[in-house]
Amino acid sequence: MTGRCPAARHFPWLRRRLAADADRVQIRCLIVDDNERFLEAARLLLEREGLTVVGTATTSAAALRLEAELRPDVALVDIRLGEESGFDLAGRLGVTVILISTYEQSEYAEEIAASPAAGFIPKARLSAAAVARLARPPGQ
């Protein structure tokens, strides 16, 4: 933030303003889950909290198609997509992936660590703030 604006180093009020603006950066999100009720609930929650949900998908094929069509910044991918694997899909998507699940992280700790995903959010703790923390590169 201050690296892009050298003057911010000298003016605390400018640093605070740039930090506040960074929190308002719009994140375009794709949600992938085989549970349609969860998709709708997650969409409503995240949109109320300021994220833009550009699409939802219930299968890997649909997620890949929507990714190419909609160009989201981040994809929230359920670890268990019915008969499909969210881990496999995470390796095929070309955007930042955040894995989600009703299970706790400890249940899949090794697989999550070995995946290309930026991180994990339990569904019970899903929020726009949690998505934003994992979707932004370090230092932003």
Side-chain angles (χ1 to χ4, degrees):
M1 149 185 66
T2 57
R4 291 188 206 146
C5 183
R9 203 170 2 149
H10 304 291
F11 302 103
W13 61 268
L14 184 54
R15 270 197 311 272
R16 286 190 299 273
R17 175 66 189 264
L18 289 170
D21 287 349
D23 288 340
R24 285 189 225 120
V25 170
Q26 195 64 272
I27 297 173
R28 294 170 36 83
C29 180
L30 171 66
I31 309 172
V32 186
D33 195 294
D34 61 315
N35 182 322
E36 296 211 22
R37 285 184 14 189
F38 172 77
L39 285 174
E40 185 57 26
R43 173 194 286 276
L44 289 171
L45 169 75
L46 295 174
E47 286 180 343
R48 278 192 193 130
E49 293 182 354
L51 283 183
T52 299
V53 177
V54 295
T56 61
T58 57
T59 66
S60 294
L64 292 165
R65 182 179 44 75
L66 288 174
E67 176 198 22
E69 179 183 319
L70 303 173
R71 305 256 188 247
D73 301 309
V74 64
L76 303 179
V77 178
D78 190 15
I79 287 175
R80 297 178 123 186
L81 286 173
E83 298 297 315
E84 300 177 280
S85 166
F87 292 111
D88 290 343
L89 177 59
R92 296 174 64 198
L93 289 168
V95 298
T96 299
V97 172
I98 298 171
L99 295 167
I100 58 175
S101 181
T102 55
Y103 296 93
E104 288 297 317
Q105 185 169 359
S106 59
E107 305 251 352
Y108 291 99
E110 289 179 25
E111 295 93 335
I112 293 168
S115 79
F120 173 83
I121 302 171
K123 288 182 180 179
R125 293 190 206 113
L126 184 62
S127 70
V131 172
R133 275 193 300 276
L134 292 172
R136 288 195 184 119
Q140 282 197 340

